Amino acid sequence: MRTPRTERAANWARRAPLLPALVFLIAVTQLPFVATVVISFLRWNALAPDHRGFAALDNYRAVVTDPALRSSIATTVLLTVSVVLTSLLLGLGLALLLDRRFIGRGVVRTLLITPFLVVPVAAALLWKHALYNASYGLLNGVLTWVWRLFGAGDPPQPDWMTNSPLAAVALSLVWQWTPFMMLILLAGLQSRPADAVEAARMDGASAFGIFRHLTLPHLRRYLELAALLGTVYIVQNFDAVFTITSGGLGTANLPYTIYQTFYQAHDYGRASAQGVVVVLCSLLVANFALRTVSSLLREEITR
Amino acid sequence: MRARSPGAVGGAGRRLRRLAALAAALSLTATGCYRGAGGSGDGGPHTLNVLMVNNPQMVDLQRLTAEHFTKETGIRVHFTVLPEDDLRDKMSQDFSSQAGQYDVASLSNYETPIYARNGWLAPLGQLAARDRTFDQKDILAPVRSSLTAADGEVYAEPFYGESSFLMYRKDLLKAAGLTMPARPTWTQVAALAAKLDGIRKGLKGICLRGQPGWGQLAAPLTTVVNTFGGTWFDKDWKAGVDSPEFARAVRFYVDLVRAHGEPGAPQAGYTECLNAMQQGKVAMWYDATAGAGSLESADSPVAGTIGYAPAPVERTRSAGWLYTWAWGIQKASTHQGAAWQFVRWASGKGYERLVGRELGWSRVPGGKRASTYRDPAYRTAAGAFAAATERAITSARPDDPGVQPRPAPGIQFVGIPEFSDLGTTVSQEISSAIAGKQSVADALRTGQRLAREVSDAYTAH
């Protein structure tokens, strides 16, 4: 017969070893955020030290009425959605191909993963200079070469980053994130029950039928997970925008806008307010996203 | 278990330390007993903390410090090396609280007067005057005056300086039967660019920066604005972005880049133009004098074919900008004596000779001393552009860069804290006009609105 007290003691005995970790987690994740919230209510410009003080809601008013921030929200959504969807589709295609057996599969897989291992800012530099650059980039060099192959003298030399700045940023991100999507989906494919596929094939199902009714439902949760993780990372992307376009031509996304407020305007109060607003919006979106993916979590638990 | 430093948990420990340091600094300044020059701080081991930007010249300095400076003086130096934006951020945090974490920091001539006005820097005039070997008079006058604050006191000593000029391909001009005037105007340069455009396949007339940023597009553009008679602000802080002179300058710049400039101009900054010039894709390039060193370096395909003309003008006598990285000493530093030792070494004549001997004369941090340009070894190494660079720097006038009096110093920038943001956001608009995504008039309308927000704060005081 256990009294409530011994029960409580037993519960605490289970929890106690976890406490330090919990305290540590709160200290390193929540305290900085609390500090950000506090600073967002201050009038604090680093270069005007005499004007520091309490600003009430001034920073938030400035953030909400700031057209630059509004357009950067739209840019962020557009950039994130397009990059996640494109790299998800490409990643799915590559994963399906890599799921087959062929000679040199290991080498191909390694080569495909490589872009994900490149440091983001180095990748952005590579795209800006080695590929996109209108006068010495690879893309226009290839055009020149092809035209010359057919004896034509005047190849088109499009200015990629100016004609479609956001697409240029997105493409470099797709190149980086496709391997990530591919890895998750490949893991999903490898865990597919082979006997069900075998049985379907014996019953005369077409390849597309197998993909549509067996593979895709099985992959659903992996697709959701890949999209969720990809979104979390790409929303925060800074390097590509900073390096390729310096936020010009309407490519400034939220991280870049906050960076500009913090480093160029030295306005810590307003930058913090922007950060807080972004976190609140992200929480809303993440809530919906997690609810969608919660089926995944539930299934994991019931297994 | 490793011992944890007090600052390991977030910034709380650091903030406490900073508060403590602030309190200590305050009590020291309040009692007026903090040590000036000659005192060696706390009398403990001689160590200095230096915060500096990650430019190649600074990295060279870091390499040479231990085996030369420390060997000579016994002062150990801890360097913190950061990219420009991070450096400004860390520096303004440390200096504004006078936490004294860094004794010496690399400042540009943009921050120096601002920091001095805030009372964050130790005055160096007395120290430099008393130091015979340092030879303060040897420092080029415009550089010296750009590091002098409104109170007439010098607050930083230069490490290297630069101006801007026009670099052009002598061979291409000759082949086209064109000559570069000794002191070209922008109108002449635009005509030359039009004639040179396309005389060879894939060759454009001129490279001008189009990448947004107060240190990218805004710098050369502001020098053009100055010489066309425009200004960001007049002496009463009235914003002048919508003035006819400012508009004419911006329209000229945008039209020239769009018609005869490099491809991909809206993303082209200093690096892209340097590449385009080295690869023979453009015939002229108006940019920093530092570019000449790269164009004439041993592995450059265009070395020896480049001519140098002063920055093009319209209504002013000269138009070249002035930029310098310099060493400032934090007022709250408790190692003032050792800090000056370091500054006099890094900014001195001896250091330039040391770099020449150890690393080669092309890597000397020049552009600050008259004696550099009289050094035979340096003139041999930098013969092509040494004289042009010296002329460009000595003719720069940071206190009177245009046709009207200015409220703050600066040629390619306005020496106020708000300019880094203003210049960046307005240059984003102009960059988008270069890309053809909006008209110059629209860009300037936005620019005027942003400039007025800044000027309102100044006229309200």
Side-chain angles (χ1 to χ4, degrees):
Chain A
M1 168 84 195
R2 297 174 68 175
T3 61
R5 178 175 303 189
T6 53
E7 181 129 0
R8 208 174 309 148
N11 279 344
W12 271 110
R14 259 202 313 278
R15 284 180 206 143
L18 292 174
L19 265 184
L22 182 69
V23 170
F24 180 76
L25 191 72
I26 288 172
V28 297
T29 60
Q30 300 311 301
L31 285 183
F33 181 64
V34 170
T36 308
V37 172
V38 170
I39 293 171
S40 72
F41 288 103
L42 299 180
R43 186 174 52 243
W44 184 5
N45 189 310
L47 289 167
D50 313 338
H51 289 284
R52 214 173 295 177
F54 184 68
L57 290 171
D58 287 358
N59 288 325
Y60 286 95
R61 197 171 304 125
V63 167
V64 174
T65 55
D66 182 8
L69 192 80
R70 271 205 297 276
S71 69
S72 74
I73 290 176
T75 307
T76 308
V77 171
L78 188 63
L79 186 69
T80 309
V81 170
S82 60
V83 170
V84 169
L85 288 182
T86 318
S87 52
L88 203 57
L89 283 174
L90 285 173
L92 179 63
L94 290 172
L96 287 170
L97 289 175
L98 274 181
D99 198 33
R100 298 158 179 256
R101 282 183 196 284
F102 57 90
I103 295 168
R105 185 164 76 157
V107 177
V108 172
R109 193 169 47 204
T110 310
L111 285 177
L112 282 173
I113 292 168
T114 315
F116 188 59
L117 304 178
V118 177
V119 180
V121 71
L125 275 172
L126 178 81
W127 281 84
K128 181 177 186 180
H129 285 276
L131 297 169
Y132 288 139
N133 189 292
S135 47
Y136 51 82
L138 183 71
L139 297 181
N140 285 356
V142 168
L143 285 177
T144 310
W145 177 73
V146 170
W147 254 248
R148 204 170 288 161
L149 224 52
F150 293 102
D154 208 14
Q157 298 284 288
D159 183 354
W160 306 91
M161 291 179 291
T162 303
N163 300 342
S164 38
L166 200 60
V169 172
L171 187 59
S172 80
L173 286 172
V174 166
W175 177 80
Q176 276 237 284
W177 286 95
T178 298
F180 171 83
M181 306 292 185
M182 180 192 84
L183 277 178
I184 292 182
L185 297 178
L186 191 59
L189 282 173
Q190 312 248 317
S191 71
R192 197 172 43 160
D195 47 2
V197 180
E198 200 57 43
R201 200 167 286 141
M202 297 290 277
D203 294 342
S206 66
F208 180 75
I210 293 175
F211 174 74
R212 168 83 190 70
H213 296 286
L214 281 176
T215 311
L216 215 50
H218 171 79
L219 272 186
R220 202 195 102 188
R221 68 169 74 123
Y222 293 95
L223 284 165
E224 284 172 352
L225 180 69
L228 181 76
L229 288 176
T231 306
V232 168
Y233 286 119
I234 292 160
V235 160
Q236 301 174 17
N237 182 277
F238 170 80
D239 312 66
V241 172
F242 176 77
T243 307
I244 295 176
T245 57
S246 310
L249 309 185
T251 55
N253 61 351
L254 282 168
Y256 188 85
T257 307
I258 294 176
Y259 153 87
Q260 207 165 293
T261 312
F262 194 93
Y263 283 110
Q264 306 283 359
H266 306 281
D267 195 334
Y268 299 166
R270 193 186 297 187
S272 302
Q274 286 175 342
V276 171
V277 169
V278 170
V279 166
L280 291 179
C281 295
S282 310
L283 280 177
L284 282 175
V285 175
N287 232 329
F288 282 115
L290 280 172
R291 208 163 288 171
T292 319
V293 188
S294 62
S295 63
L296 180 153
L297 300 170
R298 255 202 311 282
E299 281 170 41
E300 285 297 324
I301 291 164
T302 51
R303 263 195 185 176
Chain B
M1 206 138 149
R2 283 203 349 253
R4 272 219 318 249
S5 71
V9 184
R14 210 169 38 234
R15 211 158 296 134
L16 270 177
R17 267 214 311 277
R18 203 180 292 165
L19 276 176
L22 180 64
L26 277 175
S27 65
L28 281 173
T29 46
T31 53
C33 75
Y34 88 92
R35 294 179 183 79
S40 57
D42 50 12
H46 284 326
T47 48
L48 276 180
N49 288 316
V50 174
L51 177 67
M52 65 185 186
V53 69
N54 63 345
N55 292 349
Q57 294 89 333
M58 310 276 175
V59 178
D60 288 346
L61 175 91
Q62 193 176 1
R63 271 179 43 195
L64 295 168
T65 298
E67 55 182 274
H68 296 276
F69 177 71
T70 305
K71 204 173 265 177
E72 289 161 28
T73 60
I75 300 168
R76 294 230 318 275
V77 183
H78 292 306
F79 287 105
T80 306
V81 188
L82 294 171
E84 206 170 316
D85 286 332
D86 298 319
L87 168 97
R88 285 201 168 86
D89 170 52
K90 203 166 199 76
M91 198 159 65
S92 62
Q93 280 180 28
D94 190 51
F95 279 53
S96 64
S97 57
Q98 285 292 294
Q101 192 182 347
Y102 298 103
D103 303 292
V104 178
S106 64
L107 299 98
S108 76
N109 52 332
Y110 169 65
E111 291 97 8
T112 304
I114 299 171
Y115 277 34
R117 198 176 44 237
N118 290 339
W120 296 347
L121 298 172
L124 305 178
Q126 289 275 315
L127 292 166
R130 256 184 283 153
D131 199 321
R132 295 294 284 283
T133 49
F134 182 72
D135 195 2
Q136 175 81 2
K137 288 197 183 62
D138 182 39
I139 289 169
L140 300 170
V143 177
R144 201 169 52 214
S145 81
S146 78
L147 300 172
T148 305
D151 62 359
E153 177 71 71
V154 173
Y155 283 94
E157 292 296 352
F159 184 52
Y160 61 91
E162 65 166 37
S163 179
S164 57
F165 53 22
L166 185 69
M167 296 159 264
Y168 60 94
R169 291 277 302 274
K170 288 186 293 197
D171 52 335
L172 292 176
L173 264 78
K174 199 167 171 187
L178 302 166
T179 47
M180 176 65 71
R183 294 185 53 214
T185 65
W186 272 115
T187 315
Q188 290 168 327
V189 171
L192 283 172
K195 289 199 183 103
L196 288 162
D197 201 338
I199 57 165
R200 282 193 196 171
K201 242 174 76 76
L203 180 83
K204 300 302 281 182
I206 188 165
C207 201
L208 291 168
R209 297 181 191 179
Q211 185 185 340
W214 76 278
Q216 286 286 5
L217 162 63
L221 179 70
T222 301
T223 68
V224 177
V225 166
N226 286 336
T227 196
F228 272 69
T231 179
W232 287 88
F233 301 104
D234 71 5
K235 67 175 191 340
D236 305 318
W237 290 111
K238 198 168 142 300
V241 177
D242 62 350
S243 71
E245 293 86 1
F246 200 112
R248 210 167 69 82
V250 173
R251 199 159 289 124
F252 170 86
Y253 191 99
V254 171
D255 289 349
L256 179 57
V257 177
R258 282 180 63 86
H260 309 295
E262 73 283 7
Q267 294 82 28
Y270 174 82
T271 314
E272 288 75 10
C273 278
L274 173 63
N275 284 341
M277 190 79 180
Q278 275 189 329
Q279 313 224 358
K281 303 273 185 191
V282 289
M284 293 186 284
W285 178 29
Y286 169 61
D287 212 306
T289 51
S294 309
L295 291 180
E296 303 283 1
S297 68
D299 53 0
S300 162
V302 295
T305 65
I306 311 285
Y308 302 92
V313 289
E314 259 326 279
R315 292 175 52 190
T316 54
R317 286 179 53 79
S318 67
W321 72 54
L322 185 73
Y323 196 73
T324 170
W325 280 106
W327 305 107
I329 301 178
Q330 181 163 187
K331 204 168 193 164
S333 161
T334 52
H335 308 86
Q336 299 278 333
W340 172 250
Q341 290 276 320
F342 174 78
V343 171
R344 68 182 292 264
W345 175 74
S347 295
K349 295 177 190 173
Y351 178 75
E352 291 187 7
R353 283 196 293 270
L354 176 71
V355 173
R357 272 201 320 272
E358 298 271 323
L359 308 171
W361 285 95
S362 60
R363 288 171 56 184
V364 165
K368 63 175 185 285
R369 288 178 168 274
S371 56
T372 314
Y373 296 95
R374 292 195 299 268
D375 189 310
Y378 181 79
R379 285 175 58 154
T380 315
F385 54 92
T389 303
E390 188 189 13
R391 259 201 308 277
I393 294 173
T394 48
S395 59
R397 302 179 64 193
D399 295 321
D400 184 20
V403 301
Q404 66 282 85
R406 303 292 174 92
I411 301 176
Q412 76 281 24
F413 55 78
V414 184
I416 53 172
E418 292 83 358
F419 185 76
S420 51
D421 188 41
L422 177 69
T424 299
T425 43
V426 176
S427 64
Q428 281 175 347
E429 301 292 329
I430 292 167
S431 178
S432 129
I434 292 174
K437 307 247 179 227
Q438 66 169 348
S439 69
V440 171
D442 286 344
L444 292 175
R445 206 169 303 122
T446 312
Q448 175 69 4
R449 183 173 55 76
L450 294 163
R452 199 174 295 133
E453 280 171 20
V454 172
S455 62
D456 283 349
Y458 280 89
T459 44
H461 288 186

